[in-house]
Amino acid sequence: MFGDMMGMMNKIKETQQKVEETKERLKTVSIEEKSTDGLLSVTITATREIKNINIADELLEDKEQLEDYLVLTLNKAIAKASDIHEKELAAVAKDGMPDIPGMDMLK
């Protein structure tokens, strides 16, 4: 019984380590999103940190249009980054779950 408990604890520690490693790796994953006409592009990481914004000169002439472009494009980029982030961490957590009787339904 204690051997099984120690094995489960070790598996949980390994999973925690893999989760932390995955979080660090996700900081280096870049996602680029462009407006439909290509006048604005943003680059963010999978941890949702904005790295770069490129704005076409013609957008600088219309503040309201630029604001709309930024909101739409940033929201699309953040949604993609969140999806990647959640899927990656869920995969690591799922692989690292110890075999606990009765918990098979969570896998």
Side-chain angles (χ1 to χ4, degrees):
M1 178 176 159
F2 289 112
D4 289 343
M5 185 66 87
M6 290 302 289
M8 282 191 282
M9 294 302 288
N10 285 337
K11 182 109 175 165
I12 290 170
K13 280 185 179 180
E14 287 175 25
T15 301
Q16 287 174 332
Q17 172 93 24
K18 287 180 182 177
V19 166
E20 291 305 315
E21 290 169 0
T22 300
K23 285 180 180 179
E24 286 300 310
R25 185 179 57 75
L26 288 172
K27 290 179 182 178
T28 66
V29 174
S30 292
I31 296 114
E32 184 177 3
E33 185 64 44
K34 292 183 179 185
S35 61
T36 53
D37 57 10
L39 296 177
L40 178 92
S41 68
V42 297
T43 304
I44 68 172
T45 66
T47 55
R48 299 170 210 97
E49 179 182 352
I50 297 170
K51 291 295 192 176
N52 192 32
I53 297 176
N54 288 315
I55 303 168
D57 290 339
E58 61 194 82
L59 283 179
L60 297 176
E61 298 167 7
D62 186 343
K63 180 180 181 276
E64 190 174 307
Q65 183 182 17
L66 175 57
E67 290 170 346
D68 290 343
Y69 270 63
L70 282 167
V71 168
L72 291 171
T73 308
L74 284 168
N75 281 336
K76 286 195 299 187
I78 290 168
K80 284 182 181 179
S82 295
D83 187 49
I84 291 168
H85 190 269
E86 290 168 17
K87 284 181 181 177
E88 292 279 334
L89 290 179
V92 171
K94 182 179 177 183
D95 286 345
M97 288 290 291
D99 294 325
I100 300 172
M103 298 296 279
D104 295 344
M105 65 196 137
L106 297 177
K107 287 191 172 187

